[in-house]
Amino acid sequence: MITRNLTEIKATLPEHVTLVAVSKTKPIVDIQEAYDAGQRVFGENKIQEMVAKYDALPKDINWHMIGHLQRNKVKYMAHFVDLIHGVDSFKTLKEINKQAKKHNRVINCLLQARIAQEETKFGLTFNDINQIITSEELSELENISIVGLMGMATFTDDKHQLQEEFSSLKNFFDTLKTQNSKLKILSMGMSGDYPLAIENGSTMVRVGSSIFGHRNYIA
Ligand SMILES: *Cc1c(COP(=O)(O)O)cnc(C)c1O
């Protein structure tokens, strides 16, 4: 099932779009199956769970942290994490920088923009993002690199609303890019809305249940 789902999804993705297979809550055997089918980029939303999976699985996997970050746990993943999607404060960037430095690495990060209307979704306003990107202090953080933005749309079937949220982030991203050439990645789109996200300029989609099936508990 996993192999077939992956093959079907990959066949629909434009070449410039990276597929992050979101394996949170799923067992090692499921990830191994996706790996054997050629998938190399996996996303998790809990640091400890990702560390355990990193330890158990082939080392050429690129692990993405897509969840809300607890600063005191960044140290556990600093030696291997490939991309952190959910950065939503300068304090967190500083902590990532500090931990990356210990391992002599530069960790790639995405700033999470708040585009959903739901109150519960994390993220920075476009104004916050502008301030971080242009701040003097950022240039002192030599062990992180901000390579793009991430956004989560409202959980809704309303295509018009999704489209508005995705395109507002895409427009903002394009404006920022003209000032900062390091910005390359726009992470938006999940199982329910990734085709629409791609139509609206996404370069990276985070797909879980359409690959691995429904999760047993809310994660
Ligand atoms: C769980 C999760 C996903 C994947 O969700 P699906 O609907 O299962 O595809 C994508 N992004 C984030 C941030 C998530 O937490």
Side-chain angles (χ1 to χ4, degrees):
M1 221 18 199
I2 292 170
T3 303
R4 205 181 71 195
N5 291 343
L6 252 177
T7 310
E8 281 180 11
I9 292 168
K10 277 198 168 154
T12 70
L13 295 184
E15 219 171 303
H16 68 277
V17 175
T18 302
L19 173 63
V20 181
V22 176
S23 50
K24 63 191 187 194
T25 79
K26 296 297 175 181
I28 299 289
V29 287
D30 287 6
I31 302 174
Q32 185 69 51
E33 183 180 340
Y35 179 90
D36 292 339
Q39 181 65 24
R40 290 295 180 272
V41 184
F42 291 89
E44 290 283 335
N45 73 337
K46 296 214 165 61
I47 292 175
Q48 272 126 326
E49 187 176 337
M50 186 171 81
V51 171
K53 289 172 174 175
Y54 165 78
D55 287 340
L57 282 153
K59 293 298 172 282
D60 62 341
I61 288 177
N62 292 328
W63 290 101
H64 289 195
M65 175 44 57
I66 62 170
H68 186 68
L69 289 179
Q70 283 173 280
R71 270 196 288 281
N72 59 346
K73 292 186 182 157
V74 168
K75 58 177 176 282
Y76 301 121
M77 65 174 174
H79 57 297
F80 71 91
V81 67
D82 188 59
L83 179 65
I84 301 178
H85 289 232
V87 179
D88 65 356
S89 75
F90 199 82
K91 258 184 163 175
T92 300
L93 275 178
K94 274 167 87 169
E95 177 62 16
I96 298 168
N97 185 70
K98 180 176 150 192
Q99 299 302 334
K101 195 172 188 141
K102 290 184 186 165
H103 299 282
N104 213 4
R105 298 185 69 213
V106 174
I107 295 182
N108 291 326
C109 297
L110 306 180
L111 296 179
Q112 182 168 359
R114 187 174 345 151
I115 53 171
Q117 283 176 359
E118 294 150 294
E119 290 278 311
T120 53
K121 298 258 157 97
F122 295 105
L124 298 155
T125 64
F126 292 169
N127 206 12
D128 294 334
I129 291 174
N130 258 327
Q131 271 178 12
I132 290 177
I133 296 267
T134 56
S135 72
E136 278 285 307
E137 247 191 302
L138 181 67
S139 50
E140 289 160 20
L141 304 184
E142 292 177 342
N143 294 82
I144 55 123
S145 180
I146 296 177
V147 294
L149 303 179
M150 180 265 213
M152 275 173 97
T154 303
F155 190 71
T156 176
D157 287 334
D158 182 345
K159 282 212 160 178
H160 182 71
Q161 183 173 353
L162 290 172
Q163 164 111 33
E164 293 230 313
E165 292 177 6
F166 287 141
S167 65
S168 76
L169 184 54
K170 164 68 171 162
N171 289 338
F172 176 62
F173 179 66
D174 285 344
T175 312
L176 270 190
K177 266 204 313 196
T178 63
Q179 305 154 24
N180 186 325
S181 60
K182 282 204 294 187
L183 301 174
K184 299 233 174 335
I185 298 174
L186 183 55
S187 166
M188 54 184 200
M190 305 167 44
S191 291
D193 58 19
Y194 74 87
L196 198 62
I198 292 170
E199 274 175 40
N200 286 280
S202 170
T203 70
M204 186 173 273
V205 292
R206 310 174 308 270
V207 180
S209 41
S210 291
I211 298 172
F212 294 104
H214 286 289
R215 287 177 290 275
N216 298 327
Y217 59 92
I218 306 291

